[in-house]
Amino acid sequence: MLRTLFGTLHLPSPRYKSCPCTAAEAATVSSLARLLPERTTPELLFWEAKYAALTSYGTAATLLTETFPLGRDLDGTAIRHRAHQLAQRLEDELDEERFSFIETCPRGLDTAFHRSRSRT
């Protein structure tokens, strides 16, 4: 199953057994699951994250349902969950850069900005 902006697709995704001579994490492997671990297209993740950043999660779910022919109703908690997963994946990709970037960047809470510890 693959969630897109234009509905849900049911794609054939065969599972292959791992070779016993290698140290594999799982007994079976799916090539589609490796390419799209969220089982969602990048375009749908982009619009979910964009709407979630601009409005509340419930409003983002309503806007996505009204804007795109998703073929199903979305829930605000699903948007929140996927936004947090995406943020975690992006932070994990930063690796060493994350620490230098966060320490020098001002942090924002609503309309008030608080400087990081290194500047105070």
Side-chain angles (χ1 to χ4, degrees):
M1 180 175 77
L2 180 67
R3 290 182 293 272
T4 71
L5 285 174
F6 304 104
T8 302
L9 298 175
H10 295 279
L11 301 174
S13 178
R15 300 187 65 80
Y16 301 104
K17 288 187 178 185
S18 298
C19 179
C21 61
T22 61
E25 295 176 7
T28 60
V29 178
S30 171
S31 56
L32 184 61
R34 280 189 178 175
L35 289 174
L36 298 166
E38 295 95 1
R39 291 184 170 77
T40 305
T41 58
E43 294 83 11
L44 180 56
L45 288 175
F46 169 78
W47 285 106
E48 284 180 355
K50 185 170 183 97
Y51 283 160
L54 297 172
T55 63
S56 67
Y57 297 122
T59 305
T62 303
L63 284 171
L64 281 166
T65 303
E66 291 176 357
T67 307
F68 299 106
L70 299 173
R72 69 191 187 289
D73 288 337
L74 292 177
D75 189 37
T77 54
I79 300 289
R80 180 179 57 84
H81 180 70
R82 282 196 289 274
H84 285 273
Q85 279 182 333
L86 181 62
Q88 185 62 47
R89 190 185 82 202
L90 292 174
E91 288 219 2
D92 291 344
E93 288 176 5
L94 282 176
D95 209 24
E96 290 182 18
E97 299 171 25
R98 171 177 39 189
F99 301 109
S100 63
F101 176 75
I102 290 176
E103 290 175 2
T104 59
C105 187
R107 298 181 186 153
L109 293 174
D110 293 334
T111 57
F113 282 93
H114 299 279
R115 298 243 180 235
S116 62
R117 284 183 268 165
S118 63
R119 293 194 176 195
T120 56

